[in-house]
Amino acid sequence: MSNSKWIGAALGLALCSTALASCSVKNDQSGSQTSQAGQLAVNWTNKTETQLRDAIAAAPANGLKPDLFLKGGESGAALTEAALKYASALANGYSDPKKLFEVYTIPRETVDVKPGLQQAIQKGDVKGWLDSLVPQTDEYRALSQAHIHFLQLASKAQFQPVADGKPIKPGSRDPRVAQVVGALQAVGYVSPQGSDTTTYSPQLVTAVKALQGEFGFKQDGIIGGDTLDALNAGPAYRARQLAIAMERLRWLPRTPPATRIDVNTAATVLDYWRDGQHVDHRNVVAGEPDKPTPQIQAPLFRLVAKPTWTVPKGIGEKEVADKGPGWLAKNGFAMNDNLWVQASGPKNSLGLVKFDMQDKEAIYLHDTPAKALFGMPDRHRSHGCVRVENALQFATMLASQENVLDEYQQAMEGAEDNKFVKLPREIPVRLLYQTVFWDGSRVQFRPDVYGWDNNIAKALGLAPGAPIRIEQPESSDDIGP
């Protein structure tokens, strides 16, 4: 993302951050949030009404603006409507991902909050009920705390971005160092302020490396490119990212599949959970910015040993058809029924194993011969499918745990290509897009490479304009490794 986009989004949210995001961006695109009160009979007391008003006033803890629910002076049925709308936003998300994205197949539970509201009012504990509706996870709590922290930082002073220019390298002198100090302090980094405001000192380099680590960049201390963008994001932009991340978590079922593979395509990492325990973490390569990996859930149902690759027509025309006979022979490409097919082997684009998923988007996980990509900070390099680091090791692990190891090893060692090894039970794979996440010890930020955050920000009233339905830029025929 360019500096102007980061700064523009940050300044837009900064206008909303006063008094913990109390501004009123007009927005009627609230997903499934329609009139819900109906014939619900609620007898509000002073106690329960105060609890509701206090809870909505504290909505920024959930990345939500209070005036999405209460404008002031509501009573009776209007107060009930506000309570149901806020409760539904906490339980289901304020926006509807299927209205924001053409492709979104991750299951989304819809909680009917009417019975809960009635019970909460009868018990006199509206606050406790509302608190119970959000995800009860360490990650959600960490994002909530960080969101309030950055909103508070954003409200303290006007953020001043660092000017463009040549990269600032450790030990160099640059008149923009004073701006770097200010930008670091604005997001809560402790940085020295001495008489020399032009030398990029070791203390400042340490702070910049910490920032680079938070964003998943190479920690070389050089201020330029993505690092300059992240430095110029400022506290308001970070707060907005956190609000969006919490909304995405509210879309998800509160009880995820106990055995599952989660891929965060924004961070390009894979996490494997088995029987509720986290058992594996590894890097992946996801779709390029103009070939985004869609947000889907689909079952992994078989392993494919030594796969061949039938090249989608669009990819074949753009990337294979103009190659010479020598290159085609060296890389194992040949025409078959008017499509290019790559033979199995170490140079095959799918590598030596494919993880087949059942989904109409034709997305799958697979190995790759391009191992060096896993060591790169930015791993958005594929045609849309997901390349898995040490895929053979991962496939062996799954085969062993699913009691098909012998069959898998025989398929890998045999003479036949494209040998299918069906798993006795399907394993859900969730391809998520989370530009902010909790890694178990700290909050991590990632650039919005697909440009999807701003649409959700609009739906939450954190950016001007109405959200749109984002379409996949390429057909499934052109998705590939």
Side-chain angles (χ1 to χ4, degrees):
M1 180 182 292
S2 67
N3 285 344
S4 61
K5 289 183 180 178
W6 286 68
I7 297 169
L11 293 178
L13 184 62
L15 297 175
C16 298
S17 64
T18 304
L20 296 184
S22 62
C23 79
S24 56
V25 176
K26 297 297 183 181
N27 175 29
D28 296 323
Q29 303 293 324
S30 54
S32 60
Q33 307 299 331
T34 57
S35 179
Q36 304 179 67
Q39 301 300 316
L40 183 63
V42 172
N43 295 317
W44 292 96
T45 65
N46 288 337
K47 176 183 177 181
T48 55
E49 180 176 342
T50 298
Q51 287 181 344
L52 174 64
R53 293 188 183 278
D54 288 347
I56 292 179
N62 293 296
L64 297 166
K65 299 197 294 92
D67 64 3
L68 292 174
F69 312 99
L70 283 176
K71 305 298 183 183
E74 291 90 346
S75 62
L79 195 65
T80 301
E81 181 68 31
L84 292 172
K85 189 175 182 181
Y86 185 52
S88 183
L90 299 182
N92 307 310
Y94 183 76
S95 57
D96 183 347
K98 292 188 177 181
K99 292 183 178 180
L100 298 178
F101 299 96
E102 176 192 14
V103 178
Y104 188 94
T105 66
I106 302 167
R108 180 173 179 247
E109 297 173 355
T110 302
V111 178
D112 182 0
V113 295
K114 290 181 183 179
L117 177 60
Q118 283 186 317
Q119 294 173 11
I121 290 178
Q122 290 171 0
K123 294 178 180 179
D125 188 17
V126 173
K127 179 184 184 303
W129 172 64
L130 290 171
D131 289 344
S132 73
L133 297 177
V134 300
Q136 304 297 309
T137 63
D138 290 340
E139 178 171 38
Y140 192 87
R141 285 186 284 270
L143 299 188
S144 173
Q145 293 169 4
H147 181 255
I148 293 297
H149 171 67
F150 283 112
L151 278 181
Q152 291 171 339
L153 290 176
S155 68
K156 289 180 179 179
Q158 182 68 36
F159 176 73
Q160 297 295 326
V162 180
D164 285 329
K166 294 181 179 180
I168 306 175
K169 297 182 179 180
S172 65
R173 296 178 65 87
D174 193 293
R176 294 172 294 161
V177 168
Q179 296 174 343
V180 171
V181 171
L184 288 170
Q185 290 177 330
V187 291
Y189 286 93
V190 177
S191 56
Q193 280 188 303
S195 57
D196 185 356
T197 58
T198 62
T199 299
Y200 186 24
S201 66
Q203 293 88 347
L204 284 175
V205 172
T206 298
V208 169
K209 285 183 177 180
L211 178 142
Q212 289 174 323
E214 281 190 354
F215 278 84
F217 302 150
K218 182 179 180 181
Q219 293 179 272
D220 56 11
I222 299 174
I223 302 174
D226 288 339
T227 298
L228 182 61
D229 287 347
L231 195 60
N232 282 339
Y237 185 84
R238 289 194 183 204
R240 192 183 84 152
Q241 270 193 296
L242 285 154
I244 292 164
M246 283 188 280
E247 175 75 347
R248 286 188 169 114
L249 291 180
R250 290 191 295 266
W251 290 342
L252 300 177
R254 297 298 183 264
T255 304
T259 296
R260 68 187 185 277
I261 297 169
D262 282 347
V263 176
N264 182 346
T265 59
T268 53
V269 293
L270 176 152
D271 289 281
Y272 174 41
W273 299 77
R274 189 168 185 87
D275 299 327
Q277 300 297 314
H278 183 249
V279 296
D280 193 71
H281 175 84
R282 60 188 65 218
N283 291 339
V284 300
V285 173
E288 297 174 4
D290 63 341
K291 302 177 181 65
T293 300
Q295 300 165 94
I296 65 172
Q297 177 171 319
L300 167 60
F301 71 105
R302 69 185 180 190
L303 305 175
V304 184
K306 299 185 297 182
T308 60
W309 179 38
T310 300
V311 185
K313 184 177 180 181
I315 297 175
E317 291 174 349
K318 295 175 185 177
E319 302 180 21
V320 181
D322 62 348
K323 301 296 184 181
W327 184 93
L328 294 170
K330 180 180 178 182
N331 289 280
F333 285 94
M335 286 293 290
N336 185 4
D337 292 333
N338 295 319
L339 289 174
W340 289 103
V341 177
Q342 188 179 25
S344 66
K347 292 188 178 182
N348 186 281
S349 298
L350 302 181
L352 295 176
V353 65
K354 176 183 176 185
F355 305 82
D356 248 351
M357 295 158 53
Q358 291 178 327
D359 72 280
K360 64 180 182 179
E361 302 303 320
I363 293 291
Y364 47 85
L365 279 56
H366 63 93
D367 184 21
T368 178
K371 311 297 186 187
L373 294 179
F374 295 114
M376 301 181 68
D378 181 6
R379 296 186 293 276
H380 295 93
R381 309 276 177 162
S382 83
H383 291 94
C385 287
V386 177
R387 309 175 192 177
V388 179
E389 184 178 30
N390 295 322
L392 291 177
Q393 176 200 58
F394 189 54
T396 300
M397 178 196 306
L398 295 179
S400 176
Q401 292 174 344
E402 294 299 319
N403 296 315
V404 292
L405 182 58
D406 288 345
E407 183 180 352
Y408 169 70
Q409 289 179 333
Q410 290 172 8
M412 291 296 295
E413 295 168 1
E416 186 179 350
D417 295 335
N418 257 355
K419 185 69 175 179
F420 300 136
V421 179
K422 187 175 181 180
L423 301 181
R425 66 168 177 172
E426 297 174 343
I427 300 176
V429 178
R430 303 195 301 181
L431 304 183
L432 310 168
Y433 185 76
Q434 200 76 358
T435 54
V436 184
F437 60 97
W438 171 250
D439 71 356
S441 61
R442 62 176 179 170
V443 173
Q444 292 267 332
F445 296 82
R446 292 295 182 269
D448 178 20
V449 293
Y450 294 160
W452 289 345
D453 279 4
N454 196 51
N455 204 43
I456 301 174
K458 290 179 179 180
L460 296 177
L462 297 175
I468 61 173
R469 192 165 183 256
I470 296 176
E471 299 182 355
Q472 277 299 108
E474 293 199 359
S475 70
S476 60
D477 290 340
D478 288 333
I479 289 179

